[in-house]
Amino acid sequence: MHGEYKIPGGKLVVVDLDVEGGMLRHARVAGDFFLEPDEALDAVNHALNGAPVDTDATGLAARIDAALPEGTVMYGLTSEGIGIAVRRALAHATDWTDYDWQLIHEGPQSPALHMALDEVLTAEVAAGRRPPTLRVWEWGAPSVIIGSFQSLRNEVDPEGAARHGIEVVRRISGGGAMFVEPGNTITYSLSVPEALVQGLSFQDSYAYLDDWVLGALGDMGIKAWYQPLNDITTEQGKIAGAAQKRVVGPGGGPGAVLHHVTMSYDIDADKMLEVLRIGREKLSDKGTKSAKKRVDPLRRQTGLAREAVIERMIDSFRGRYGLADGKVTPEELGRAEELARAKFGSAEWTARVP
């Protein structure tokens, strides 16, 4: 069995192993990490051999830590990362480069249609009718997008939204509310086969699917990192939030994962505060007293035009994993338009949690 795991902000870990009698056998760890002393690698392999096959990543990490020589130094490598690579091997997980990725970057569309496209395209990936897809959004109107389980009245000030012409829609994923305006926001979705995140915990899957964009930001001079559970942040403040939804495959078989991210290129903080109800408890949880300080826009941090930031992000993804230009098919668009009318544009769905 073969498993690979790119540690977020670190290096690639590769594990090859066998299973005999319910135990891990012949484990061999490799990668482009740094590890001292040399005998530490033998200690890692020895710690994995004989572990029960159902040991989780945390348990495997504990075995490794207990076996490492005193003074061991890891750079770009963690015991937990090795454990995750083992779990991915046992789950027969795939890697980014196993797929032919497709890019969709089309013209501005309504907020409700964007919600519908996420659902339709991810279902198509789950059914095997569409390759893994990176979709970059263009917004046709300003909007507040609330999470699947958020209370509409608790999150949105209806008078403020009406005054500023802000449409409110609800997405299928959890997480918090997003305030977006055309030209001020960068949003993208990844619709990926479930196999890509096999062996990863829910939290680890966020970090794993965000890693490429951290690299893209780094190329633009921004030192960013993943902040559990679903934020991307810098020393200047949060710049993005992610959310996920698992979609079951046909007949209950292997499905797909929707992972979408909204990044603040620029932001009208005063308008946001008139539209969103941002409570004191939420602010204190983020370690700040002012909602205006929670988000630090990419425009200020990069000095680049929004289009240039998007172009560099796409180029970074393409350089890592390959990316062919594609489009939404007429059939997919038809289904999404109907779903936008019947579901995402309906008061029943938007207010399903009043």
Side-chain angles (χ1 to χ4, degrees):
M1 298 180 182
H2 179 88
E4 298 185 2
Y5 179 60
K6 169 66 167 58
I7 296 175
K11 300 293 185 176
L12 179 69
V13 181
V14 180
V15 176
D16 292 283
L17 55 83
D18 301 316
V19 174
E20 298 174 359
M23 301 290 183
L24 306 185
R25 300 295 183 191
H26 312 121
R28 300 170 302 281
V29 175
D32 59 352
F33 49 80
F34 299 91
L35 179 64
E36 293 288 347
D38 285 348
E39 53 265 29
L41 184 59
D42 292 332
V44 169
N45 292 333
H46 181 73
L48 295 175
N49 287 319
V53 72
D54 59 354
T55 308
D56 64 16
T58 300
L60 293 170
R63 290 176 65 100
I64 293 168
D65 288 337
L68 289 173
E70 186 176 352
T72 294
V73 176
M74 295 181 173
Y75 183 75
L77 176 69
T78 64
S79 299
E80 182 80 12
I82 298 171
I84 292 172
V86 170
R87 296 309 311 171
R88 285 175 60 76
L90 294 170
H92 301 286
T94 56
D95 185 66
W96 295 84
T97 53
D98 292 331
Y99 299 104
D100 295 323
W101 290 86
Q102 186 174 113
L103 170 69
I104 294 176
H105 187 193
E106 299 181 337
Q109 291 158 321
S110 72
L113 184 57
H114 277 307
M115 304 302 111
L117 283 169
D118 263 358
E119 183 169 328
V120 168
L121 297 181
T122 306
E124 288 296 286
V125 172
R129 293 187 292 264
R130 159 169 286 282
T133 300
L134 167 65
R135 183 171 73 92
V136 179
W137 304 21
E138 295 294 345
W139 291 93
S143 180
V144 166
I145 301 92
I146 58 176
S148 180
F149 310 108
Q150 287 189 296
S151 163
L152 177 61
R153 69 166 65 98
N154 289 346
E155 297 299 324
V156 181
D157 183 324
E159 294 181 358
R163 183 165 59 252
H164 293 291
I166 305 292
E167 180 180 354
V168 181
V169 294
R170 185 184 296 273
R171 61 182 184 269
I172 60 174
S173 61
M178 306 183 304
F179 172 77
V180 303
E181 294 183 288
N184 284 357
T185 306
I186 296 173
T187 305
Y188 67 86
S189 301
L190 287 169
S191 296
V192 305
E194 186 181 26
L196 184 62
V197 296
Q198 285 288 349
L200 300 178
S201 68
F202 191 74
Q203 177 173 315
D204 288 333
S205 72
Y206 272 83
Y208 185 67
L209 294 176
D210 281 339
D211 188 62
W212 74 275
V213 81
L214 299 184
L217 291 169
D219 292 341
M220 288 180 265
I222 299 177
K223 183 181 179 181
W225 59 87
Y226 162 72
Q227 181 73 37
L229 171 66
N230 62 333
D231 288 348
I232 297 174
T233 191
T234 70
E235 292 180 352
Q236 285 71 43
K238 173 181 172 180
I239 57 174
Q244 285 188 6
K245 176 68 176 180
R246 263 60 173 175
V247 175
V248 178
V257 177
L258 168 66
H259 179 92
H260 43 200
V261 174
T262 290
M263 313 178 77
S264 292
Y265 173 73
D266 203 351
I267 193 166
D268 186 332
D270 292 326
K271 185 186 296 185
M272 179 182 72
L273 292 174
E274 292 180 26
V275 175
L276 294 182
R277 302 186 193 274
I278 301 178
R280 292 180 180 177
E281 190 170 329
K282 181 179 290 187
L283 292 177
S284 63
D285 182 56
K286 299 297 183 181
T288 183
K289 296 182 180 180
S290 169
K292 294 183 180 181
K293 295 180 180 178
R294 287 186 60 205
V295 180
D296 194 76
L298 285 171
R299 182 171 71 94
R300 191 189 69 79
Q301 291 202 42
T302 65
L304 297 171
R306 175 180 176 274
E307 293 73 16
V309 174
I310 292 174
E311 182 179 357
R312 293 195 184 192
M313 288 171 56
I314 291 172
D315 287 345
S316 180
F317 191 103
R318 182 177 284 116
R320 283 181 172 223
Y321 310 125
L323 190 62
D325 292 339
K327 60 182 180 180
V328 177
T329 68
E331 294 79 8
E332 291 168 339
L333 181 59
R335 287 168 52 200
E337 288 174 338
E338 176 57 31
L339 198 59
R341 287 191 295 269
K343 179 178 179 178
F344 294 105
S346 71
E348 291 80 9
W349 169 258
T350 304
R352 77 182 188 98
V353 182

